[in-house]
Coordinates of all heavy atoms in Angstrom, one line a residue:
M1 N 366.5 183.0 224.8 CA 366.4 184.3 225.5 C 366.6 185.3 224.4 O 367.4 185.3 223.5 CB 367.5 184.4 226.5 CG 367.6 185.8 227.1 SD 369.0 186.1 228.2 CE 368.6 184.9 229.5
A2 N 365.7 186.4 224.5 CA 365.8 187.5 223.5 C 366.8 188.5 223.9 O 367.1 188.7 225.0 CB 364.4 188.1 223.4
H3 N 367.5 189.0 222.8 CA 368.5 190.0 223.0 C 368.0 191.2 222.1 O 367.6 191.0 221.0 CB 369.8 189.6 222.5 CG 370.3 188.4 223.3 ND1 371.2 188.6 224.4 CD2 370.2 187.1 223.2 CE1 371.5 187.4 224.9 NE2 370.9 186.5 224.1
F4 N 368.1 192.4 222.7 CA 367.6 193.6 222.1 C 368.7 194.6 221.8 O 369.6 194.8 222.6 CB 366.5 194.3 222.9 CG 365.3 193.5 223.1 CD1 365.2 192.7 224.2 CD2 364.2 193.6 222.2 CE1 364.0 192.0 224.4 CE2 363.1 192.8 222.4 CZ 363.0 192.0 223.5
V5 N 368.7 195.2 220.6 CA 369.5 196.3 220.3 C 368.6 197.5 220.2 O 367.5 197.3 219.6 CB 370.3 196.1 219.0 CG1 371.1 197.3 218.6 CG2 371.1 194.9 219.1
Y6 N 368.9 198.6 220.8 CA 367.9 199.7 220.9 C 368.6 201.1 220.7 O 369.8 201.2 220.9 CB 367.1 199.7 222.2 CG 368.0 199.9 223.4 CD1 368.2 201.2 224.0 CD2 368.7 198.8 224.0 CE1 369.0 201.3 225.1 CE2 369.5 199.0 225.1 CZ 369.7 200.3 225.6 OH 370.5 200.5 226.7
I7 N 367.8 202.1 220.3 CA 368.3 203.5 220.3 C 367.3 204.3 221.1 O 366.1 204.2 220.9 CB 368.4 204.0 218.9 CG1 369.4 203.2 218.0 CG2 368.8 205.5 218.9 CD1 369.5 203.6 216.6
M8 N 367.8 205.1 222.0 CA 367.0 206.1 222.7 C 367.4 207.4 222.3 O 368.6 207.7 221.9 CB 367.2 205.9 224.2 CG 366.7 204.5 224.7 SD 366.7 204.3 226.5 CE 365.4 205.5 226.9
A9 N 366.5 208.4 222.5 CA 366.8 209.8 222.0 C 366.2 210.8 223.0 O 365.3 210.5 223.7 CB 366.3 210.1 220.7
S10 N 366.8 212.0 223.0 CA 366.3 213.1 223.9 C 365.1 213.7 223.2 O 364.2 214.2 223.9 CB 367.4 214.1 224.1 OG 367.8 214.7 222.9
R11 N 365.0 213.7 221.9 CA 364.0 214.4 221.1 C 364.2 214.0 219.7 O 365.2 213.4 219.4 CB 364.0 215.9 221.3 CG 365.2 216.5 220.8 CD 365.2 218.0 221.1 NE 366.5 218.6 221.1 CZ 367.2 218.8 219.9 NH1 366.6 218.6 218.7 NH2 368.4 219.4 219.9
P12 N 363.3 214.2 218.8 CA 363.6 213.9 217.4 C 364.8 214.5 216.9 O 365.0 215.7 217.0 CB 362.4 214.4 216.6 CG 361.2 214.4 217.6 CD 361.9 214.7 218.9
C13 N 365.7 213.7 216.3 CA 367.0 214.1 215.8 C 367.9 214.7 216.9 O 368.9 215.4 216.6 CB 366.9 215.1 214.6 SG 366.0 214.3 213.2
G14 N 367.6 214.5 218.2 CA 368.4 215.0 219.3 C 369.5 214.1 219.6 O 370.0 213.3 218.8
A15 N 370.0 214.2 220.9 CA 371.1 213.3 221.4 C 370.5 211.9 221.4 O 369.4 211.6 221.7 CB 371.4 213.8 222.8
M16 N 371.4 210.9 221.0 CA 371.0 209.6 220.9 C 372.0 208.6 221.7 O 373.1 209.0 222.0 CB 371.0 209.1 219.5 CG 369.9 209.7 218.6 SD 370.0 209.1 217.0 CE 371.2 210.2 216.2
Y17 N 371.4 207.5 222.1 CA 372.2 206.4 222.8 C 371.8 205.1 222.2 O 370.7 204.8 222.0 CB 371.9 206.4 224.3 CG 372.6 205.3 225.0 CD1 373.9 205.4 225.5 CD2 372.0 204.1 225.2 CE1 374.6 204.4 226.1 CE2 372.6 203.1 225.9 CZ 373.9 203.2 226.3 OH 374.5 202.2 227.0
T18 N 372.8 204.3 221.8 CA 372.6 203.0 221.3 C 373.1 201.9 222.3 O 374.2 202.1 222.9 CB 373.4 202.8 219.9 OG1 373.0 203.8 219.0 CG2 373.2 201.4 219.4
G19 N 372.3 200.9 222.6 CA 372.7 199.9 223.5 C 372.1 198.5 223.2 O 371.5 198.3 222.2
R20 N 372.4 197.6 224.1 CA 372.0 196.2 223.9 C 371.7 195.6 225.3 O 372.3 196.0 226.3 CB 373.2 195.4 223.3 CG 372.8 194.0 222.9 CD 374.0 193.1 222.7 NE 374.8 193.0 224.0 CZ 374.4 192.3 225.0 NH1 373.3 191.5 225.0 NH2 375.1 192.2 226.1
T21 N 370.7 194.8 225.4 CA 370.2 194.2 226.6 C 369.4 193.0 226.4 O 368.9 192.8 225.3 CB 369.4 195.3 227.4 OG1 369.1 194.8 228.8 CG2 368.1 195.7 226.8
T22 N 369.2 192.2 227.5 CA 368.2 191.1 227.4 C 366.9 191.5 228.0 O 365.9 190.8 227.8 CB 368.8 189.9 228.1 OG1 369.1 190.2 229.5 CG2 370.0 189.3 227.4
D23 N 366.8 192.6 228.8 CA 365.6 193.0 229.4 C 365.4 194.5 229.0 O 365.8 195.4 229.7 CB 365.7 192.8 230.9 CG 364.4 193.1 231.6 OD1 363.4 193.7 231.0 OD2 364.2 192.8 232.8
L24 N 364.8 194.7 227.9 CA 364.6 196.1 227.3 C 363.8 196.9 228.2 O 364.2 198.1 228.4 CB 364.1 196.0 225.9 CG 364.0 197.3 225.2 CD1 365.3 198.0 225.1 CD2 363.4 197.1 223.8
R25 N 362.7 196.5 228.7 CA 361.8 197.3 229.6 C 362.6 197.8 230.8 O 362.6 199.0 231.1 CB 360.6 196.5 230.0 CG 359.5 197.3 230.5 CD 358.2 196.5 230.7 NE 357.8 195.8 229.6 CZ 357.1 196.3 228.6 NH1 356.7 197.6 228.6 NH2 356.7 195.6 227.5
A26 N 363.4 196.9 231.5 CA 364.1 197.3 232.7 C 365.2 198.3 232.3 O 365.5 199.3 233.0 CB 364.7 196.1 233.4
R27 N 365.9 198.1 231.2 CA 367.0 198.9 230.7 C 366.5 200.3 230.4 O 367.1 201.3 230.8 CB 367.7 198.3 229.5 CG 368.9 199.0 229.1 CD 370.0 198.9 230.2 NE 371.2 199.6 229.7 CZ 371.9 200.4 230.5 NH1 371.6 200.7 231.7 NH2 373.0 201.0 230.0
V28 N 365.3 200.5 229.8 CA 364.7 201.8 229.5 C 364.4 202.5 230.8 O 364.7 203.7 230.9 CB 363.4 201.6 228.6 CG1 362.7 202.9 228.6 CG2 363.8 201.1 227.2
E29 N 363.9 201.8 231.7 CA 363.6 202.4 233.1 C 364.9 202.9 233.8 O 364.9 203.9 234.4 CB 362.8 201.5 234.0 CG 361.4 201.3 233.5 CD 360.7 202.6 233.3 OE1 360.7 203.5 234.1 OE2 360.0 202.7 232.2
T30 N 366.0 202.1 233.6 CA 367.3 202.5 234.1 C 367.7 203.8 233.6 O 368.1 204.8 234.3 CB 368.3 201.5 233.9 OG1 367.9 200.3 234.6 CG2 369.7 201.8 234.4
H31 N 367.6 203.9 232.2 CA 367.9 205.2 231.6 C 367.0 206.4 232.1 O 367.5 207.4 232.4 CB 367.8 205.1 230.1 CG 368.9 204.2 229.4 ND1 370.2 204.5 229.5 CD2 368.7 203.1 228.7 CE1 370.9 203.6 228.9 NE2 370.0 202.7 228.3
R32 N 365.8 206.1 232.2 CA 364.8 207.2 232.6 C 365.0 207.6 234.0 O 364.8 208.8 234.4 CB 363.4 206.7 232.4 CG 363.0 206.6 231.0 CD 361.5 206.5 230.8 NE 361.3 206.4 229.4 CZ 360.4 205.5 228.8 NH1 359.7 204.7 229.6 NH2 360.3 205.5 227.5
A33 N 365.5 206.7 234.8 CA 365.8 207.1 236.2 C 367.1 207.8 236.4 O 367.4 208.2 237.5 CB 365.8 205.8 237.1
G34 N 367.8 208.0 235.3 CA 369.1 208.8 235.4 C 370.2 208.0 235.9 O 371.2 208.5 236.4
L35 N 370.2 206.7 235.8 CA 371.2 205.8 236.4 C 372.3 205.4 235.4 O 373.2 204.7 235.7 CB 370.6 204.5 236.9 CG 369.6 204.8 238.1 CD1 368.9 203.5 238.5 CD2 370.2 205.5 239.2
S36 N 372.2 206.0 234.2 CA 373.2 205.8 233.1 C 373.8 207.2 232.8 O 373.1 208.1 232.5 CB 372.6 205.1 231.9 OG 373.5 204.9 230.9
G37 N 375.1 207.3 232.9 CA 375.8 208.6 232.7 C 375.4 209.4 231.5 O 375.0 210.5 231.6
H38 N 375.6 208.8 230.3 CA 375.4 209.5 229.1 C 374.0 209.9 228.9 O 373.6 211.0 228.6 CB 375.8 208.7 227.9 CG 375.6 209.4 226.6 ND1 376.4 210.3 226.1 CD2 374.7 209.1 225.6 CE1 376.0 210.7 224.9 NE2 374.9 210.0 224.6
T39 N 373.0 209.0 229.2 CA 371.6 209.3 229.0 C 371.1 210.3 230.0 O 370.3 211.1 229.7 CB 370.8 208.0 229.0 OG1 371.0 207.3 230.2 CG2 371.0 207.2 227.9
A40 N 371.7 210.3 231.3 CA 371.3 211.3 232.3 C 371.8 212.7 231.8 O 371.1 213.7 232.0 CB 371.8 210.9 233.6
K41 N 373.1 212.7 231.4 CA 373.7 214.0 231.0 C 372.9 214.7 229.9 O 372.8 215.9 230.0 CB 375.1 213.8 230.6 CG 375.9 215.0 230.2 CD 377.3 214.7 229.9 CE 378.1 216.0 229.5 NZ 379.5 215.7 229.2
Y42 N 372.5 214.0 228.9 CA 371.8 214.6 227.8 C 370.3 214.4 227.8 O 369.6 214.6 226.8 CB 372.5 214.0 226.5 CG 373.9 214.3 226.4 CD1 374.9 213.5 226.7 CD2 374.2 215.6 225.9 CE1 376.2 213.8 226.5 CE2 375.5 216.0 225.8 CZ 376.5 215.1 226.1 OH 377.9 215.5 226.0
N43 N 369.7 214.0 228.9 CA 368.3 213.9 229.1 C 367.7 212.9 228.0 O 366.6 213.2 227.4 CB 367.6 215.2 229.1 CG 366.2 215.2 229.6 OD1 365.9 214.4 230.5 ND2 365.3 216.1 229.2
I44 N 368.3 211.8 227.8 CA 367.9 210.8 226.8 C 366.9 209.9 227.5 O 367.3 209.1 228.4 CB 369.1 210.1 226.2 CG1 369.9 211.1 225.5 CG2 368.6 209.0 225.3 CD1 371.3 210.5 225.0
R45 N 365.6 210.0 227.2 CA 364.6 209.2 227.9 C 363.6 208.5 227.0 O 362.8 207.7 227.4 CB 363.8 210.1 228.8 CG 364.6 210.9 229.8 CD 364.1 211.0 231.1 NE 364.7 211.8 232.1 CZ 365.9 211.6 232.6 NH1 366.6 210.7 232.1 NH2 366.4 212.4 233.5
R46 N 363.7 208.7 225.7 CA 362.7 208.2 224.7 C 363.2 207.0 223.9 O 364.2 207.2 223.2 CB 362.2 209.3 223.8 CG 361.1 208.9 222.8 CD 360.8 210.0 221.9 NE 360.6 211.3 222.5 CZ 360.1 212.3 221.9 NH1 359.9 212.3 220.6 NH2 359.9 213.5 222.6
L47 N 362.6 205.8 224.1 CA 362.9 204.7 223.2 C 362.3 204.9 221.8 O 361.1 205.0 221.7 CB 362.4 203.4 223.8 CG 362.6 202.1 223.1 CD1 364.1 201.8 223.0 CD2 361.8 200.9 223.7
V48 N 363.2 205.0 220.8 CA 362.7 205.3 219.5 C 362.9 204.2 218.4 O 362.4 204.3 217.4 CB 363.3 206.7 219.0 CG1 362.8 207.9 219.8 CG2 364.8 206.6 218.9
W49 N 363.7 203.3 218.8 CA 364.0 202.2 217.8 C 364.5 201.0 218.6 O 365.3 201.1 219.6 CB 365.0 202.6 216.8 CG 365.3 201.5 215.8 CD1 364.7 201.2 214.7 CD2 366.4 200.6 215.9 NE1 365.3 200.1 214.1 CE2 366.4 199.7 214.8 CE3 367.4 200.4 216.9 CZ2 367.3 198.7 214.6 CZ3 368.3 199.3 216.7 CH2 368.3 198.5 215.6
F50 N 364.1 199.8 218.2 CA 364.7 198.6 218.8 C 364.5 197.4 217.8 O 363.6 197.5 217.0 CB 364.2 198.2 220.2 CG 362.7 197.8 220.2 CD1 362.4 196.4 220.1 CD2 361.7 198.7 220.4 CE1 361.1 196.0 220.2 CE2 360.4 198.3 220.5 CZ 360.1 197.0 220.4
E51 N 365.3 196.4 217.9 CA 365.1 195.1 217.2 C 365.5 194.0 218.1 O 366.4 194.1 219.0 CB 365.9 195.2 215.9 CG 367.3 195.1 216.0 CD 368.0 195.2 214.6 OE1 367.4 195.6 213.6 OE2 369.2 194.9 214.6
E52 N 364.9 192.9 217.9 CA 365.2 191.7 218.7 C 366.0 190.7 218.0 O 365.9 190.5 216.8 CB 363.8 191.0 219.1 CG 363.9 189.9 220.0 CD 362.5 189.5 220.5 OE1 361.5 190.1 220.1 OE2 362.4 188.4 221.1
H53 N 366.9 190.1 218.7 CA 367.8 189.0 218.2 C 367.7 187.8 219.0 O 367.4 187.8 220.2 CB 369.3 189.5 218.1 CG 369.5 190.6 217.2 ND1 369.9 190.5 216.0 CD2 369.4 192.0 217.4 CE1 370.0 191.7 215.4 NE2 369.7 192.6 216.3
D54 N 367.9 186.6 218.4 CA 367.8 185.4 219.1 C 369.1 185.0 219.9 O 369.0 184.2 220.8 CB 367.5 184.2 218.1 CG 366.1 184.3 217.5 OD1 365.3 184.9 218.2 OD2 366.0 183.9 216.3
C55 N 370.2 185.6 219.5 CA 371.5 185.2 220.2 C 372.3 186.4 220.5 O 372.2 187.4 219.9 CB 372.3 184.2 219.3 SG 373.0 184.8 217.8
F56 N 373.2 186.2 221.5 CA 374.0 187.2 222.0 C 375.0 187.7 220.9 O 375.2 189.0 220.7 CB 374.9 186.7 223.2 CG 375.9 187.6 223.6 CD1 375.6 188.7 224.4 CD2 377.2 187.5 223.2 CE1 376.6 189.6 224.9 CE2 378.2 188.3 223.6 CZ 377.9 189.4 224.5
E57 N 375.6 186.8 220.1 CA 376.5 187.2 219.2 C 376.0 188.1 218.1 O 376.6 189.1 217.7 CB 377.1 186.0 218.5 CG 378.0 185.1 219.4 CD 377.2 184.2 220.3 OE1 376.0 184.0 220.1 OE2 377.8 183.7 221.3
A58 N 374.8 187.8 217.6 CA 374.1 188.7 216.6 C 373.8 190.0 217.2 O 374.0 191.1 216.5 CB 372.8 188.0 216.1
S59 N 373.4 190.1 218.4 CA 373.0 191.4 219.0 C 374.2 192.3 219.3 O 374.2 193.5 219.0 CB 372.2 191.2 220.3 OG 373.0 190.6 221.3
I60 N 375.3 191.7 219.7 CA 376.5 192.5 219.9 C 377.1 192.9 218.6 O 377.6 194.1 218.6 CB 377.5 191.7 220.8 CG1 378.6 192.6 221.4 CG2 378.3 190.6 220.1 CD1 378.1 193.3 222.7
R61 N 377.1 192.1 217.6 CA 377.6 192.6 216.3 C 376.8 193.8 215.8 O 377.3 194.7 215.3 CB 377.6 191.4 215.3 CG 378.8 190.5 215.3 CD 378.8 189.6 214.1 NE 377.6 188.9 213.9 CZ 377.3 187.7 214.3 NH1 378.1 187.1 215.1 NH2 376.2 187.1 214.0
R62 N 375.5 193.7 215.9 CA 374.6 194.7 215.4 C 374.8 196.0 216.2 O 374.9 197.1 215.6 CB 373.1 194.2 215.5 CG 372.1 195.3 215.0 CD 372.2 195.5 213.5 NE 371.0 196.1 213.1 CZ 370.8 196.8 212.0 NH1 371.8 196.9 211.1 NH2 369.7 197.3 211.7
E63 N 374.9 195.9 217.5 CA 375.1 197.1 218.4 C 376.4 197.8 218.0 O 376.4 199.0 217.8 CB 375.1 196.7 219.8 CG 375.4 197.9 220.8 CD 375.9 197.5 222.1 OE1 376.4 196.4 222.3 OE2 375.8 198.4 223.0
R64 N 377.4 197.0 217.9 CA 378.8 197.6 217.5 C 378.7 198.2 216.1 O 379.3 199.3 215.9 CB 379.9 196.5 217.6 CG 380.2 196.1 219.1 CD 381.2 195.0 219.1 NE 381.5 194.7 220.5 CZ 382.1 193.7 220.9 NH1 382.6 192.8 220.0 NH2 382.4 193.4 222.2
A65 N 378.0 197.6 215.2 CA 377.9 198.2 213.9 C 377.2 199.5 213.9 O 377.7 200.5 213.3 CB 377.2 197.2 212.9
I66 N 376.1 199.6 214.6 CA 375.3 200.8 214.6 C 376.1 201.9 215.4 O 376.0 203.1 215.0 CB 373.9 200.6 215.3 CG1 373.1 199.7 214.4 CG2 373.2 201.8 215.6 CD1 371.8 199.2 215.0
K67 N 376.8 201.5 216.4 CA 377.6 202.5 217.1 C 378.6 203.2 216.3 O 379.0 204.3 216.5 CB 378.2 202.0 218.4 CG 377.2 201.8 219.5 CD 377.9 201.3 220.8 CE 376.9 201.3 221.9 NZ 377.5 201.1 223.2
R68 N 379.1 202.5 215.3 CA 380.1 203.0 214.4 C 379.5 203.8 213.2 O 380.2 204.5 212.5 CB 381.0 201.9 213.8 CG 381.9 201.3 214.7 CD 382.9 200.4 214.0 NE 382.3 199.2 213.4 CZ 382.1 198.0 213.9 NH1 382.5 197.8 215.1 NH2 381.5 197.1 213.2
W69 N 378.2 203.7 213.0 CA 377.5 204.4 212.0 C 377.6 205.9 212.1 O 377.7 206.4 213.2 CB 376.1 204.1 211.9 CG 375.7 202.7 211.4 CD1 376.6 201.7 211.0 CD2 374.4 202.2 211.1 NE1 375.9 200.7 210.6 CE2 374.5 200.9 210.6 CE3 373.1 202.8 211.2 CZ2 373.5 200.2 210.2 CZ3 372.0 202.0 210.8 CH2 372.2 200.7 210.4
R70 N 377.5 206.6 211.0 CA 377.3 208.1 211.0 C 376.0 208.4 211.6 O 375.0 207.7 211.5 CB 377.5 208.6 209.6 CG 378.9 208.4 209.0 CD 379.0 208.9 207.6 NE 378.1 209.9 207.2 CZ 377.9 210.3 206.0 NH1 378.7 209.8 205.0 NH2 377.1 211.3 205.7
R71 N 375.9 209.6 212.2 CA 374.7 210.0 212.8 C 373.5 210.1 211.8 O 372.4 209.7 212.2 CB 374.9 211.5 213.4 CG 373.7 212.1 214.0 CD 374.0 213.5 214.5 NE 372.8 214.1 215.0 CZ 372.2 213.8 216.2 NH1 372.8 212.9 217.0 NH2 371.1 214.4 216.6
D72 N 373.7 210.5 210.6 CA 372.6 210.6 209.7 C 372.1 209.2 209.3 O 370.9 209.0 209.0 CB 373.0 211.4 208.4 CG 374.2 210.9 207.7 OD1 375.1 210.3 208.3 OD2 374.2 211.1 206.4
W73 N 372.9 208.2 209.3 CA 372.4 206.8 209.1 C 371.6 206.3 210.2 O 370.6 205.6 210.0 CB 373.6 205.9 208.9 CG 374.5 206.1 207.8 CD1 374.4 207.0 206.8 CD2 375.8 205.4 207.5 NE1 375.4 206.9 205.9 CE2 376.3 205.9 206.3 CE3 376.4 204.4 208.1 CZ2 377.5 205.5 205.7 CZ3 377.6 203.9 207.5 CH2 378.1 204.4 206.4
K74 N 371.9 206.7 211.4 CA 371.1 206.3 212.6 C 369.7 207.0 212.5 O 368.7 206.4 212.8 CB 371.8 206.7 213.9 CG 373.0 205.9 214.2 CD 373.7 206.3 215.4 CE 375.1 205.7 215.6 NZ 375.8 206.2 216.7
I75 N 369.7 208.3 212.2 CA 368.5 209.0 212.0 C 367.6 208.4 210.9 O 366.4 208.2 211.1 CB 368.7 210.5 211.7 CG1 369.3 211.2 212.9 CG2 367.5 211.2 211.2 CD1 369.9 212.6 212.8
A76 N 368.2 207.9 209.8 CA 367.5 207.3 208.7 C 366.9 205.9 209.2 O 365.7 205.6 208.9 CB 368.3 207.1 207.5
L77 N 367.7 205.2 210.0 CA 367.2 203.9 210.6 C 365.9 204.1 211.4 O 364.9 203.4 211.3 CB 368.3 203.2 211.4 CG 367.9 201.9 212.1 CD1 367.7 200.8 211.1 CD2 369.0 201.5 213.0
I78 N 366.0 205.1 212.3 CA 364.9 205.4 213.2 C 363.7 205.9 212.4 O 362.5 205.4 212.5 CB 365.3 206.5 214.2 CG1 366.3 205.9 215.1 CG2 364.0 206.9 215.1 CD1 367.1 207.0 215.9
T79 N 363.9 206.8 211.5 CA 362.8 207.4 210.7 C 362.1 206.5 209.8 O 360.9 206.6 209.6 CB 363.4 208.6 209.9 OG1 364.0 209.6 210.8 CG2 362.3 209.4 209.2
Q80 N 362.8 205.5 209.3 CA 362.3 204.4 208.4 C 361.1 203.7 209.1 O 360.1 203.5 208.5 CB 363.3 203.5 208.0 CG 362.9 202.4 207.1 CD 364.0 201.4 206.7 OE1 365.0 201.4 207.4 NE2 363.9 200.8 205.6
S81 N 361.3 203.3 210.4 CA 360.3 202.6 211.1 C 359.4 203.4 212.1 O 358.4 202.9 212.5 CB 360.9 201.4 211.8 OG 361.8 201.9 212.8
N82 N 359.9 204.6 212.4 CA 359.3 205.4 213.4 C 359.4 206.9 213.0 O 360.2 207.6 213.6 CB 359.9 205.2 214.8 CG 359.2 205.9 215.9 OD1 358.2 206.6 215.7 ND2 359.7 205.8 217.1
P83 N 358.7 207.3 211.9 CA 358.9 208.6 211.3 C 358.7 209.8 212.2 O 359.3 210.9 212.0 CB 358.0 208.6 210.1 CG 357.1 207.5 210.2 CD 357.7 206.5 211.2
N84 N 357.8 209.6 213.2 CA 357.5 210.7 214.1 C 358.3 210.6 215.5 O 358.0 211.4 216.4 CB 356.0 210.9 214.4 CG 355.3 211.2 213.1 OD1 355.7 212.1 212.4 ND2 354.3 210.5 212.8
W85 N 359.2 209.7 215.5 CA 360.0 209.4 216.7 C 359.1 209.2 218.0 O 359.4 209.8 219.0 CB 361.0 210.5 216.9 CG 362.1 210.6 215.9 CD1 361.9 210.7 214.5 CD2 363.5 210.5 216.0 NE1 363.1 210.7 213.8 CE2 364.1 210.6 214.7 CE3 364.3 210.4 217.1 CZ2 365.4 210.6 214.6 CZ3 365.7 210.4 217.0 CH2 366.2 210.5 215.6
H86 N 358.1 208.5 217.8 CA 357.2 208.2 219.0 C 357.9 207.3 220.0 O 358.8 206.5 219.7 CB 355.9 207.5 218.6 CG 355.0 208.4 217.8 ND1 354.3 209.5 218.4 CD2 354.6 208.4 216.5 CE1 353.6 210.1 217.4 NE2 353.8 209.5 216.3
E87 N 357.4 207.3 221.2 CA 357.9 206.5 222.3 C 357.4 205.0 222.0 O 356.3 204.8 221.8 CB 357.3 206.9 223.6 CG 357.5 206.0 224.8 CD 359.0 205.8 225.1 OE1 359.8 206.7 225.2 OE2 359.3 204.6 225.2
L88 N 358.4 204.1 222.0 CA 358.0 202.7 221.6 C 358.0 201.7 222.8 O 357.8 200.6 222.6 CB 359.1 202.2 220.6 CG 359.2 203.0 219.3 CD1 360.3 202.3 218.4 CD2 357.8 202.9 218.6
T89 N 358.1 202.2 224.0 CA 358.1 201.3 225.2 C 356.8 200.4 225.2 O 357.0 199.2 225.5 CB 358.2 202.1 226.5 OG1 359.4 202.8 226.4 CG2 358.3 201.2 227.7
P90 N 355.6 200.9 224.8 CA 354.5 200.0 224.8 C 354.5 198.9 223.9 O 353.8 197.9 224.0 CB 353.3 201.0 224.5 CG 353.8 202.3 224.9 CD 355.3 202.3 224.6
Q91 N 355.4 199.0 222.9 CA 355.6 197.9 221.8 C 356.6 196.9 222.2 O 356.8 195.9 221.4 CB 355.9 198.6 220.5 CG 354.8 199.5 220.0 CD 355.2 200.2 218.7 OE1 356.1 199.7 218.0 NE2 354.5 201.3 218.4
I92 N 357.2 197.0 223.3 CA 358.2 196.0 223.7 C 357.5 194.6 224.0 O 356.5 194.6 224.7 CB 358.9 196.4 225.0 CG1 359.8 197.7 224.8 CG2 359.9 195.3 225.5 CD1 360.3 198.3 226.1
P93 N 358.0 193.5 223.3 CA 357.3 192.3 223.5 C 357.3 191.7 224.9 O 358.3 192.0 225.6 CB 358.0 191.3 222.5 CG 359.1 192.1 221.9 CD 359.1 193.5 222.4
G94 N 356.3 191.1 225.3 CA 356.1 190.3 226.5 C 356.8 190.7 227.6 O 357.0 190.3 228.7

């Protein structure tokens, strides 16, 4: 089973949310529907970065590490693979 760590944003360099899930497509839709407090409050609707892991332990370690990162490190992570902060939902595997 695939495990995803992801970052969503309200706009380029705007409010961000880091999370982890096994069903990334469904989780993104949950955020967009306003069913998650932080993302609803700050209008966070754009999937801007994600990575896939093979096991739960690796994904939870990565999520916790990223959540402790400074904001500018998160921005650099996103910009490295998605310089224009495009919506990545169409790129979610299978």
